[in-house]
Amino acid sequence: MTADVVFVGGGVIGLSGAWAAARAGLSATVVDPAPGRGSSWVAAGMLAPVTEATFGEEHLVRLLVAAAGRWPDFAADLGSATGTDVGYRPCGMVVVAADPSDRSVIDQLLGYQQRLGLAARRLSGTECRQLVPALAPGVRGGAEMPGDHQVDNRKLVGALLEACGGAGVTFVADRVTAVVTGPDGAARGVHLAAGGDLPAGAVVACAGAATPLLDGVPPGTFPAVRPVKGHVLRLRGPADHPLLERTVRGLVHGRPCYLVPRADGRLVVGATSEERGFDTTVQAGAVHALLDDARTLVPGIDELELEESMAGLRPGSPDNAPFVGWTGVPRLAVATGHYRNGILLTPLTAEGIAAVLTGEPLPPPLDGFGPDRSTPTTAGHVR
Ligand SMILES: Cc1cc2nc3c(=O)[nH]c(=O)nc-3n(C[C@H](O)[C@H](O)[C@H](O)COP(=O)(O)OP(=O)(O)OC[C@H]3O[C@@H](n4cnc5c(N)ncnc54)[C@H](O)[C@@H]3O)c2cc1C
């Protein structure tokens, strides 16, 4: 049977898009050799439009703020569809400085964030330690972002897989090598690495950082997305006596660092940012640097178990913003380039994918985030 739409890639973007498409009445197939085990599995799960806001990215900040607003309903919807609590936790964040120079950087960014009208306030060192007693005595103050939250990205992946299954989404455990086009140049399915074609009414390319590697379409069809490597660590402590109640981000002698506490006592520590192509090797130096920075801010991590170290590939785009919409190849859409904020952008991107596939306008926050950085047309919709 020919599916209405095939999704190439089953990370949070492909899975949430397929779930949204199925809920909109389309038959959807996800092709992925290891769904949910890409960047979406490695991520820290921060939903942080304010702490991610940086100079010159006002358009992205508006998108991130809108995305954050979608999260409470999205988490509740997933919860009712699957019975899974995805760990959406409105815990707020504190950003702290290890030295006076870090403090000055945080202050400058804070001024910018406040000028944009974002919820953020300056804190002295004492105020930081009142909010987060586990902070090191030497912390030089910082800022509080009460509206930046978190979700457990691994529970999210599990819930999306289950929700897709429940909504009738089909899974094919294979790798797509190429988009298949017809004599009219329009996408009409995908070619599988194991051999054979999978026909479909439309194709959504959402293979994260690997999206531009897909063959079968003219050069330049896919936007310039590249892998940006990030190491993270997972530490484990007692659930009944957590070290942190809210996320701590910080600058340690110029290096960014974060510690994201989960409800079960685990702590996600991240992250490096490296341009190394498709390499996901875990390197000793990166693990050492992350632990060193994290214990400079929160010395108590020394007592926790080092449970896991991993590296993932963020799908980076030239302007750090995602691409969602139809490409120049009819019936071929793309959803990638979510870079550091793919978990945060999941609900909004899913809405956008369902909208283009059903011929509806994109949700307004996504205007201007098409592959050609103009508002995508609705041409090529499935229904
Ligand atoms: C260290 C780190 C920390 C992060 N922290 C956060 C955070 O706190 N908050 C946040 O919002 N974001 C965070 N991110 C970013 C976030 O993880 C990504 O933006 C998001 O997961 C991208 O989702 P995706 O579905 O596009 O890609 P992925 O999750 O990478 O999924 C792509 C999928 O495509 C599949 N695939 C690839 N090629 C093919 C092919 N040819 N055929 C079929 N399938 C294919 C892969 O197997 C994979 O499952 C972080 C990322 C990293 C690396």
Side-chain angles (χ1 to χ4, degrees):
M1 197 185 89
T2 302
D4 288 329
V5 53
V6 62
F7 289 81
V8 184
V12 285
I13 300 304
L15 293 174
S16 61
W19 184 44
R23 295 213 296 176
L26 303 177
S27 58
T29 298
V30 174
V31 186
D32 192 324
R37 288 300 188 273
S39 177
S40 304
W41 187 253
V42 180
M46 290 177 290
L47 309 174
V50 182
T51 35
E52 284 293 326
T54 194
F55 301 109
E57 293 189 348
E58 291 76 6
H59 70 305
L60 177 59
V61 174
R62 277 192 292 277
L63 183 71
L64 299 183
V65 168
R70 301 303 210 263
W71 259 100
D73 285 351
F74 185 75
D77 272 5
L78 255 182
S80 20
T82 63
T84 301
D85 174 358
V86 294
Y88 172 70
R89 201 169 164 198
C91 56
M93 287 188 191
V94 170
V95 181
V96 297
D99 67 29
S101 157
D102 296 330
R103 169 91 214 210
S104 149
V105 173
I106 290 172
D107 278 347
Q108 285 176 37
L109 207 49
L110 178 65
Y112 169 73
Q113 291 157 343
Q114 287 173 332
R115 285 195 293 283
L116 292 183
L118 302 171
R121 72 174 176 116
R122 193 173 194 272
L123 298 175
S124 66
T126 307
E127 287 168 326
C128 287
R129 280 181 288 278
Q130 278 163 354
L131 279 177
V132 184
L135 283 175
V139 158
R140 296 300 181 114
E144 183 190 15
M145 282 67 175
D148 279 5
H149 303 317
Q150 65 150 304
V151 66
D152 186 327
N153 50 297
R154 294 186 174 181
K155 288 187 178 163
L156 171 66
V157 163
L160 284 172
L161 283 165
E162 198 183 329
C164 282
V169 173
T170 306
F171 285 88
V172 175
D174 202 348
R175 191 171 58 81
V176 168
T177 55
V179 176
V180 176
T181 54
D184 58 355
R188 60 174 196 191
V190 294
H191 186 72
L192 301 175
D197 291 349
L198 199 63
V203 175
V204 180
C206 44
T211 304
L213 303 184
L214 295 172
D215 234 333
V217 289
T221 298
F222 293 119
V225 170
R226 70 189 194 287
V228 182
K229 181 176 181 180
H231 282 82
V232 282
L233 311 175
R234 280 179 160 75
L235 311 183
R236 191 163 64 177
D240 55 352
H241 195 61
L243 191 57
L244 299 176
E245 298 281 358
R246 69 188 77 213
T247 296
V248 172
R249 295 182 76 151
L251 272 182
V252 182
H253 316 312
R255 278 200 307 230
C257 173
Y258 55 71
L259 301 96
V260 186
R262 298 285 195 244
D264 63 3
R266 286 186 167 83
L267 202 59
V268 184
V269 173
T272 63
S273 189
E274 307 161 57
E275 305 272 353
R276 287 179 179 262
F278 286 90
D279 166 36
T280 51
T281 319
V282 175
Q283 287 158 303
V287 173
H288 176 266
L290 285 177
L291 282 175
D292 204 27
D293 291 348
R295 68 198 287 272
T296 298
L297 300 179
V298 180
I301 67 159
D302 279 0
E303 303 303 321
L304 307 187
E305 176 190 344
L306 173 57
E307 192 180 44
E308 197 180 336
S309 54
M310 286 192 101
L313 302 173
R314 306 174 185 91
S317 68
D319 60 359
N320 302 333
F323 299 98
V324 181
W326 294 110
T327 66
V329 171
R331 311 185 81 73
L332 173 63
V334 73
T336 186
H338 293 74
Y339 191 36
R340 301 167 58 87
N341 292 295
I343 308 294
L344 169 59
L345 287 164
T346 293
L348 191 52
T349 305
E351 264 178 56
I353 292 171
V356 295
L357 289 173
T358 54
E360 299 292 325
L362 276 174
L366 278 170
D367 274 352
F369 290 95
D372 60 357
R373 288 290 179 241
S374 62
T375 306
T377 68
T378 53
H381 62 268
V382 176
R383 269 203 285 138

